Amino acid sequence: MMSHSLRAPGRHAPDRSLFALLICVLVLGVGCGFQAGMAERKKKAEEKSKKDRKEEGVPVETAALTRGPIEEVIKASNHLEAEQTVRVISRTSNLLIELMVEEGNLVKKDQVLVRLQDDDQKTTYDKALSQLNQAKANFRRTETMFKDELISQRDYDDGKYGVEQLQLALNEAQRQLDFTAIKAPIAGTITTRLVKLGDQVNPNQHLFDIIDFDSIVALVYVPEKHLPNLEIGMPARISAQSLGDAVFEGRIKRISPVVDSKSGTVKVTLGVKGAGKLRPGMFVDAEIIVSTHPEALLVSKRSIIYDSDQMFVYRLGESNRVSRVLVEPVLSDKDHIEPAGGFEVGDQIVVAGQTGLKDGALVKLPGDSEPEEETAAEGSESTNSPPADKVSG
């Protein structure tokens, strides 16, 4: 009996160890399978989320290309000058007894500006006239006697010469008398008056300045590369900051035949039509119109992107994606560029928001509805481990 009870525990011990090991293996297997399943589900959820998430467009504004006029202009600036400007100088001396014009008055050529006292000049003139008349009467008798051969050729020549000398004296007296009435040498505007009534005027004294505002010109200097394109008569626009938005018509009046070696520029004289409020000495901006295209395709300069000295724009294509297009300019003004080709009327060009865009980028236009964001379905699987199968012993 004793020996039987001692063998019983030894026989069942290996069975219990094997059973415990089997339980451990099953538990570890279920745990690893659960973790592998969770990782696989998480990976699939992330892939589905990326697939379902829509690409977000870049907000931009576009404008359709249209046709219109465009000009190629050469810009330059300088001060205005008057080609017809004179200083009125006195040629005789006397008191100023009559002042007939003031600063700002318009005068005609040969209009009397002032009169000087002329008593002495009139006396000299009357005396010369009297002497000439006497000499002419004497010479008529001399001619008659010469025809009758009563006097010699020498007496005849002396009489004729005397009349000529007195005629010259009368002409000089007349000139001196005329000098007392000082006249305008050109038509224009009195810009400066330097004398007043009662002044003693002396020879060569500066009395007035007269400027013909119709002779105002702008002398501008343009780079020599433009010389082949310039022609006399080309239109120009002239404006002055002090006169606001007023624009005055002009034309090329003269083109210098030489190039300044220091500055590399050519002097161009622009005549102004109807100077109006323009004045000599005023600083102006000039635009010489070299070429005009009335029906050009116009690309707004707002849309231009510069890259390595080249110009590009982004054109809207299908599915709200843009393409980058090179712009080769033909003409250019302050607002637009006429491209050489590659565009059509109606093309939608990005004019705002293009900074940072790339070729083929998705864009969003004003007024587009917000895309519905589809969230990735993570699944509603339970995070708890599935129930393990029962192991019967």
Side-chain angles (χ1 to χ4, degrees), residues 299-349:
V299 175
S300 172
K301 285 188 173 181
R302 293 175 54 203
S303 64
I304 298 297
I305 293 291
Y306 293 90
D307 186 2
S308 301
D309 296 330
Q310 290 183 314
M311 293 184 289
F312 297 89
V313 296
Y314 285 97
R315 179 168 54 195
L316 184 66
E318 297 180 358
S319 303
N320 275 19
R321 294 194 177 272
V322 295
S323 57
R324 193 167 96 150
V325 185
L326 176 67
V327 178
E328 297 180 356
V330 175
L331 293 183
S332 174
D333 61 17
K334 65 178 182 178
D335 297 319
H336 298 96
I337 293 174
E338 180 188 9
F343 297 90
E344 295 180 357
V345 173
D347 283 353
Q348 294 289 331
I349 304 298

Side-chain angles (χ1 to χ4, degrees), residues 68-283:
I70 191 171
E71 300 171 334
E72 179 184 2
V73 299
I74 302 172
K75 297 183 179 181
S77 302
N78 207 347
H79 294 87
L80 294 176
E81 298 181 9
E83 293 191 304
Q84 292 290 329
T85 176
V86 296
R87 291 157 50 102
V88 180
I89 304 297
S90 172
R91 296 186 179 185
T92 188
S93 62
N94 244 331
L95 291 177
L96 195 155
I97 61 173
E98 190 176 2
L99 181 62
M100 306 175 72
V101 294
E102 274 295 345
E103 291 180 356
N105 289 161
L106 293 173
V107 296
K108 299 178 180 180
K109 183 179 180 181
D110 295 329
Q111 179 178 332
V112 177
L113 308 179
V114 296
R115 292 187 185 276
L116 305 181
Q117 194 174 38
D118 58 2
D119 297 344
D120 294 340
Q121 287 82 358
K122 281 185 177 181
T123 300
T124 302
Y125 174 81
D126 292 341
K127 182 179 180 180
L129 179 60
S130 177
Q131 291 174 345
L132 177 61
N133 288 337
Q134 182 181 8
K136 285 182 176 180
N138 293 334
F139 183 67
R140 283 194 293 269
R141 290 191 292 270
T142 300
E143 283 184 316
T144 302
M145 294 174 66
F146 179 72
K147 291 178 181 179
D148 295 337
E149 298 183 353
L150 297 176
I151 60 174
S152 64
Q153 180 70 42
R154 180 176 180 179
D155 292 336
Y156 175 83
D157 291 341
D158 288 344
K160 182 180 179 181
Y161 176 74
V163 171
E164 292 175 351
Q165 291 297 312
L166 291 174
Q167 182 65 58
L168 292 175
L170 180 64
N171 293 343
E172 178 62 23
Q174 180 68 63
R175 185 163 52 251
Q176 291 299 323
L177 180 60
D178 292 342
F179 287 163
T180 62
I182 299 174
K183 301 177 181 180
I186 65 170
T189 302
I190 303 294
T191 59
T192 308
R193 175 178 63 83
L194 300 172
V195 289
K196 61 182 182 295
L197 195 64
D199 282 355
Q200 174 64 40
V201 175
N202 299 311
N204 299 319
Q205 182 175 339
H206 183 191
L207 307 179
F208 299 94
D209 287 327
I210 301 178
I211 294 178
D212 179 7
F213 289 127
D214 290 335
S215 70
I216 287 180
V217 296
L219 302 180
V220 297
Y221 296 83
V222 302
E224 61 178 300
K225 66 180 181 179
H226 297 301
L227 183 57
N229 300 325
L230 298 178
E231 295 180 2
I232 293 177
M234 272 186 173
R237 287 188 294 265
I238 297 172
S239 59
Q241 292 183 356
S242 59
L243 298 179
D245 297 331
V247 177
F248 301 85
E249 293 183 13
R251 289 192 177 276
I252 295 181
K253 193 173 183 179
R254 291 188 298 274
I255 302 173
S256 175
V258 297
V259 177
D260 188 310
S261 59
K262 294 182 179 179
S263 63
T265 58
V266 179
K267 183 175 73 172
V268 178
T269 303
L270 302 178
V272 183
K273 181 180 180 181
K277 295 183 179 181
L278 292 178
R279 294 293 180 264
M282 189 177 287
F283 188 82

